[in-house]
Amino acid sequence: MSAPTHHRMVRWPDDRAAFYREAGCWRGRPLGAYLWESADRGPDRTAVVDGGTRLTYRALAERADLLAERLAERGLARGDRVLVQLPNSWEFVVVTMACLRLGAAPVMMLLPHREYELTSIAEHVGARALFVPADWRGYDHEALAHRVADRVADRLDARPLVLVSGEPSARGSVALADLWEGRGGEAERRARLDANAPSPSDPALFLLSGGTTGMPKLISRTHDDYEYNIRRITEICRVGPDSVYLAVLPAGHNFPLANPGILGTLIAGGRVVLLPSPRPAPVFAAIEAEGVTVTSATPAIALRWMEEAEGCGRDLSSLHFVQVGGSMLSPEVAARIGPALGCRLQQMYGMAEGLICCMPVDAPDEVAHSAQGAPISPYDELLVVDRDGAPVPPGGVGELLTRGPYTPRGYFGAPEQNAASFTRDGWYRTGDLVEITPEGMVVVRGRVKDLINRGGEKVAPGEVEVLVQELPAVAEAAVLGLADPALGERVCLVVRLHPGRRLTLDGVRAALTVRGIAAFKLPERLEVLADLPHTPLGKPDKNALRDLLQTGDRGTAA
Ligand code: AMP
């Protein structure tokens, strides 16, 4: 059985926790209470729009409560963990709110995740349930969830429940639609759930980190810290009851979920419109139809929108601003986004681990285009250090370390990773190279961590390398990101083979797919070298490899 939450979650030191409470950051109320407050203020206002489905605040809150109680009847309880792998949909919002009300923390998985990721994370957190769509884009997620549940059943106390949105077809699945059907007893149910509400200092949910090695790391975000993060960014972005937020990035990401995103908009009493993909035509149609005021995108998506906005035949004038973040954006492209979409650009820089920086909405253009933004809390601490960990002089470039009221002090149940990713004083090593301007704006200059950023999706090279090394033909492997004009980076695999062996890109991709990893992690380029350059420590020298591949000078290529 997996250890209970409180043994594996790294909490803030007592004195810092007391300070954040006294300063008014942490208010000691669970997130579900804030969502209900919006419902009390405007029960008949529209909360969520998903295609033809519109939910009022009352319908959302009551359906979430009903689901929470039905889940409790099936054995789920406060303090449990569940995996949520759902597309952007009204069901995602109801499930998330139900989990927050019940205190069973959802782990926000991504739709491309497959057996490899789901199994190891389900095991790591001791998942009690898996929420999946019946199928999605031709892939049978229900069958996947059952395979995962079977595999982890022996190692956990109980086989996780498989809860399905849409029409389930497998035996043993529970249809979500059956759980949230029915009326009556709403006030009593609400009172029961309130009386048994989760502790605000416990995890509200878990976000996935890109990590750098092995499996994605889990970031536990408490009700207190996440609510503070949401409150600050919502205030800065001036999101309120008249705001209409369009969610196109995968809802389980921190950016569209809470910055201000889905949760920020709902807590502010605004309207959330969900689309399952960032394809320009449906995005423009939704902006026009719903009067969308704000949306968020990665640079790659913003570029596509820019290319197709002109002559799209849609009225985009309701859009106040578009938030762009997640990967590098050049000032030249940044300058073109606003004019192309007829709105302001708001750059964002941040991470699921906590720290969020954003550009004030009224910043002058030259600042708004060239910097990523300022930290959202006066209690965020930022330190820029050189390779030896010494602070760099003001204006210098170095690795960003950070601490603060919504930046947890460690990953969940990962002491080894924590020793590498956090300093003894609790600073999180972001792995990002930044410069801080005299005005306190963060400018991202690059990266020191070994992480591939493929259009905002993070790929940990170590995770792919471990699997590639299992292939019989492979003697040595290195996975690295190569610059790509559309996505920023793409995954490249460099190998040295055992004598007489062959390997093709299709072969590697097929083998990794069988292992069950998400498709966005599959190598898109394969280079076979007679030998790999090495660092003095004997590891593949990825900088040398990148130079070699990008200049096209293979030297020792086989
Ligand atoms: P995630 O936790 O998936 O949001 O990833 C966080 C990481 O994305 C950061 O540590 C950065 O490496 C990268 N990132 C986020 N925003 C930006 C940005 N505006 N510019 C460059 N990199 C970014």
Side-chain angles (χ1 to χ4, degrees), residues 208-210 253-254 324-329 347-353 372 430 432 444 447 449 451 453 456 458:
L208 297 185
S209 144
H253 275 299
N254 191 37
V324 177
S327 58
M328 297 288 264
L329 177 67
Q347 296 214 45
M348 302 275 296
Y349 160 70
M351 55 216 67
E353 281 83 354
Q372 276 61 60
T430 66
D432 294 321
V444 185
R447 203 168 49 212
K449 62 191 169 199
L451 187 71
N453 191 331
K458 314 300 185 302

CSV table of all heavy atoms in Angstrom, one decimal, residues 208-210 253-254 324-329 347-353 372 430 432 444 447 449 451 453 456 458, ligand 1:
chain,number,residue,atom,x,y,z
A,208,LEU,N,1.4,17.7,-13.0
A,208,LEU,CA,2.6,16.9,-13.4
A,208,LEU,C,3.7,17.9,-13.8
A,208,LEU,O,3.4,18.9,-14.5
A,208,LEU,CB,2.3,16.1,-14.6
A,208,LEU,CG,1.2,15.0,-14.4
A,208,LEU,CD1,1.1,14.1,-15.7
A,208,LEU,CD2,1.6,14.1,-13.3
A,209,SER,N,4.9,17.5,-13.4
A,209,SER,CA,6.0,18.3,-13.8
A,209,SER,C,6.6,17.7,-15.0
A,209,SER,O,6.6,16.4,-15.2
A,209,SER,CB,7.0,18.4,-12.7
A,209,SER,OG,8.3,18.4,-13.2
A,210,GLY,N,7.3,18.5,-15.9
A,210,GLY,CA,8.0,17.9,-17.0
A,210,GLY,C,9.1,17.0,-16.5
A,210,GLY,O,9.4,16.0,-17.1
A,253,HIS,N,-3.4,21.3,-17.6
A,253,HIS,CA,-2.2,22.1,-17.5
A,253,HIS,C,-2.5,23.3,-16.5
A,253,HIS,O,-3.6,23.8,-16.6
A,253,HIS,CB,-1.7,22.7,-18.8
A,253,HIS,CG,-0.8,21.8,-19.6
A,253,HIS,ND1,0.4,21.3,-19.2
A,253,HIS,CD2,-1.0,21.2,-20.8
A,253,HIS,CE1,1.0,20.6,-20.1
A,253,HIS,NE2,0.1,20.5,-21.1
A,254,ASN,N,-1.5,23.6,-15.7
A,254,ASN,CA,-1.6,24.7,-14.8
A,254,ASN,C,-2.1,26.0,-15.4
A,254,ASN,O,-2.9,26.8,-14.8
A,254,ASN,CB,-0.3,24.9,-14.1
A,254,ASN,CG,-0.3,25.8,-12.9
A,254,ASN,OD1,-1.3,25.8,-12.1
A,254,ASN,ND2,0.7,26.6,-12.8
A,324,VAL,N,0.1,34.5,-23.6
A,324,VAL,CA,1.0,33.5,-24.3
A,324,VAL,C,2.1,33.1,-23.4
A,324,VAL,O,2.8,34.0,-22.8
A,324,VAL,CB,1.5,34.1,-25.6
A,324,VAL,CG1,2.5,33.2,-26.3
A,324,VAL,CG2,0.3,34.4,-26.6
A,325,GLY,N,2.3,31.8,-23.3
A,325,GLY,CA,3.4,31.4,-22.4
A,325,GLY,C,3.7,29.9,-22.6
A,325,GLY,O,3.0,29.3,-23.4
A,326,GLY,N,4.6,29.4,-21.9
A,326,GLY,CA,4.9,27.9,-21.9
A,326,GLY,C,6.2,27.6,-22.6
A,326,GLY,O,6.8,26.6,-22.4
A,327,SER,N,6.6,28.5,-23.6
A,327,SER,CA,7.9,28.3,-24.2
A,327,SER,C,8.3,29.6,-24.8
A,327,SER,O,7.5,30.6,-24.8
A,327,SER,CB,7.8,27.2,-25.3
A,327,SER,OG,6.9,27.5,-26.3
A,328,MET,N,9.5,29.7,-25.3
A,328,MET,CA,10.1,30.9,-25.7
A,328,MET,C,9.3,31.7,-26.8
A,328,MET,O,8.9,31.0,-27.8
A,328,MET,CB,11.6,30.7,-26.3
A,328,MET,CG,12.5,30.1,-25.3
A,328,MET,SD,13.0,31.3,-24.0
A,328,MET,CE,14.5,31.8,-24.7
A,329,LEU,N,9.2,33.0,-26.7
A,329,LEU,CA,8.5,33.8,-27.6
A,329,LEU,C,9.5,34.9,-28.0
A,329,LEU,O,9.9,35.7,-27.1
A,329,LEU,CB,7.3,34.3,-27.0
A,329,LEU,CG,6.4,35.3,-27.9
A,329,LEU,CD1,5.9,34.6,-29.1
A,329,LEU,CD2,5.3,35.9,-27.0
A,347,GLN,N,2.2,38.3,-22.0
A,347,GLN,CA,3.1,37.2,-21.8
A,347,GLN,C,3.0,36.7,-20.5
A,347,GLN,O,2.8,37.4,-19.5
A,347,GLN,CB,4.5,37.7,-22.1
A,347,GLN,CG,4.7,38.2,-23.5
A,347,GLN,CD,6.1,37.9,-24.0
A,347,GLN,OE1,6.7,36.8,-23.8
A,347,GLN,NE2,6.7,38.9,-24.6
A,348,MET,N,3.3,35.4,-20.4
A,348,MET,CA,3.2,34.6,-19.1
A,348,MET,C,4.5,33.8,-19.1
A,348,MET,O,4.9,33.2,-20.0
A,348,MET,CB,2.0,33.7,-19.0
A,348,MET,CG,0.7,34.3,-19.2
A,348,MET,SD,0.1,35.0,-17.7
A,348,MET,CE,-0.1,33.5,-16.7
A,349,TYR,N,5.0,33.7,-17.9
A,349,TYR,CA,6.1,32.7,-17.7
A,349,TYR,C,5.9,32.1,-16.3
A,349,TYR,O,5.6,32.8,-15.3
A,349,TYR,CB,7.5,33.4,-17.6
A,349,TYR,CG,8.6,32.6,-17.0
A,349,TYR,CD1,9.1,31.5,-17.5
A,349,TYR,CD2,9.1,33.0,-15.7
A,349,TYR,CE1,10.0,30.7,-16.9
A,349,TYR,CE2,10.0,32.3,-15.1
A,349,TYR,CZ,10.5,31.1,-15.7
A,349,TYR,OH,11.5,30.4,-15.0
A,350,GLY,N,5.9,30.8,-16.3
A,350,GLY,CA,5.7,30.2,-15.0
A,350,GLY,C,5.8,28.7,-15.1
A,350,GLY,O,6.3,28.2,-16.1
A,351,MET,N,5.4,28.0,-14.0
A,351,MET,CA,5.6,26.6,-14.0
A,351,MET,C,4.6,26.0,-13.0
A,351,MET,O,4.1,26.6,-12.1
A,351,MET,CB,7.0,26.3,-13.5
A,351,MET,CG,7.3,26.9,-12.2
A,351,MET,SD,9.0,27.5,-12.1
A,351,MET,CE,9.1,28.8,-13.3
A,352,ALA,N,4.2,24.7,-13.3
A,352,ALA,CA,3.3,24.0,-12.4
A,352,ALA,C,3.9,23.9,-11.0
A,352,ALA,O,3.1,23.8,-10.0
A,352,ALA,CB,3.0,22.6,-13.0
A,353,GLU,N,5.2,24.0,-10.9
A,353,GLU,CA,5.8,24.0,-9.5
A,353,GLU,C,5.5,25.2,-8.7
A,353,GLU,O,5.8,25.2,-7.5
A,353,GLU,CB,7.3,23.9,-9.7
A,353,GLU,CG,7.9,22.5,-10.0
A,353,GLU,CD,7.8,22.2,-11.5
A,353,GLU,OE1,7.3,23.0,-12.3
A,353,GLU,OE2,8.3,21.1,-11.9
A,372,GLN,N,8.8,38.7,-20.1
A,372,GLN,CA,7.8,37.8,-19.9
A,372,GLN,C,6.8,38.2,-18.7
A,372,GLN,O,5.7,37.7,-18.6
A,372,GLN,CB,8.4,36.4,-19.6
A,372,GLN,CG,8.7,35.6,-20.9
A,372,GLN,CD,9.7,36.3,-21.8
A,372,GLN,OE1,10.8,36.5,-21.3
A,372,GLN,NE2,9.3,36.7,-23.0
A,430,THR,N,14.6,26.3,-10.9
A,430,THR,CA,13.7,26.3,-12.1
A,430,THR,C,14.3,25.6,-13.3
A,430,THR,O,13.7,25.1,-14.2
A,430,THR,CB,13.2,27.7,-12.5
A,430,THR,OG1,14.4,28.4,-13.0
A,430,THR,CG2,12.6,28.4,-11.4
A,432,ASP,N,15.7,27.3,-15.5
A,432,ASP,CA,15.6,28.3,-16.6
A,432,ASP,C,16.6,29.4,-16.4
A,432,ASP,O,16.9,29.8,-15.3
A,432,ASP,CB,14.2,29.0,-16.5
A,432,ASP,CG,13.1,28.0,-16.9
A,432,ASP,OD1,13.3,27.1,-17.7
A,432,ASP,OD2,12.0,28.0,-16.2
A,444,VAL,N,13.1,35.5,-20.0
A,444,VAL,CA,13.7,34.1,-20.1
A,444,VAL,C,14.7,34.1,-21.3
A,444,VAL,O,14.4,34.5,-22.4
A,444,VAL,CB,12.6,33.1,-20.4
A,444,VAL,CG1,13.1,31.7,-20.4
A,444,VAL,CG2,11.5,33.2,-19.4
A,447,ARG,N,17.8,27.9,-21.0
A,447,ARG,CA,17.6,26.8,-20.1
A,447,ARG,C,18.8,26.1,-19.6
A,447,ARG,O,19.7,26.0,-20.5
A,447,ARG,CB,16.7,25.8,-20.8
A,447,ARG,CG,15.9,24.9,-20.0
A,447,ARG,CD,14.9,24.2,-20.9
A,447,ARG,NE,15.5,23.6,-22.0
A,447,ARG,CZ,14.9,23.4,-23.2
A,447,ARG,NH1,13.7,23.9,-23.4
A,447,ARG,NH2,15.5,22.9,-24.2
A,449,LYS,N,18.3,23.2,-17.6
A,449,LYS,CA,17.9,21.9,-17.3
A,449,LYS,C,17.8,21.1,-18.6
A,449,LYS,O,17.6,21.6,-19.7
A,449,LYS,CB,16.5,21.9,-16.6
A,449,LYS,CG,15.4,22.5,-17.4
A,449,LYS,CD,14.2,22.7,-16.6
A,449,LYS,CE,13.2,23.6,-17.3
A,449,LYS,NZ,12.2,24.2,-16.5
A,451,LEU,N,15.7,19.4,-20.6
A,451,LEU,CA,14.3,19.2,-20.8
A,451,LEU,C,14.0,19.7,-22.2
A,451,LEU,O,14.5,20.7,-22.6
A,451,LEU,CB,13.5,20.0,-19.7
A,451,LEU,CG,12.0,19.8,-19.7
A,451,LEU,CD1,11.7,18.4,-19.1
A,451,LEU,CD2,11.4,20.8,-18.8
A,453,ASN,N,11.2,21.1,-24.7
A,453,ASN,CA,10.0,21.9,-24.7
A,453,ASN,C,9.4,21.8,-26.1
A,453,ASN,O,9.8,22.6,-27.0
A,453,ASN,CB,10.2,23.3,-24.3
A,453,ASN,CG,8.9,24.0,-24.0
A,453,ASN,OD1,7.9,23.7,-24.5
A,453,ASN,ND2,9.0,25.0,-23.1
A,456,GLY,N,5.4,23.6,-25.8
A,456,GLY,CA,4.8,23.7,-24.5
A,456,GLY,C,4.7,22.4,-23.8
A,456,GLY,O,4.6,22.4,-22.6
A,458,LYS,N,6.3,19.3,-22.2
A,458,LYS,CA,7.7,19.0,-21.8
A,458,LYS,C,8.0,17.5,-21.9
A,458,LYS,O,7.2,16.7,-21.5
A,458,LYS,CB,7.9,19.5,-20.3
A,458,LYS,CG,7.3,20.9,-20.0
A,458,LYS,CD,7.9,21.9,-20.9
A,458,LYS,CE,7.5,23.4,-20.5
A,458,LYS,NZ,6.1,23.7,-20.6
B,1,AMP,P1,5.1,23.7,-17.1
B,1,AMP,O1,5.3,23.3,-15.7
B,1,AMP,O2,4.7,22.6,-18.0
B,1,AMP,O3,4.2,24.9,-17.2
B,1,AMP,O4,6.6,24.2,-17.6
B,1,AMP,C1,7.3,25.2,-17.0
B,1,AMP,C2,8.5,25.5,-17.9
B,1,AMP,O5,8.1,26.0,-19.1
B,1,AMP,C3,9.3,26.6,-17.3
B,1,AMP,O6,10.2,26.2,-16.3
B,1,AMP,C4,10.1,27.1,-18.6
B,1,AMP,O7,11.1,26.2,-18.9
B,1,AMP,C5,9.0,26.9,-19.6
B,1,AMP,N1,8.3,28.2,-19.9
B,1,AMP,C6,7.1,28.6,-19.3
B,1,AMP,N2,6.8,29.8,-19.8
B,1,AMP,C7,7.8,30.2,-20.6
B,1,AMP,C8,8.0,31.4,-21.3
B,1,AMP,N3,7.2,32.4,-21.3
B,1,AMP,N4,9.2,31.5,-22.0
B,1,AMP,C9,10.1,30.5,-22.0
B,1,AMP,N5,9.9,29.3,-21.4
B,1,AMP,C10,8.8,29.2,-20.6
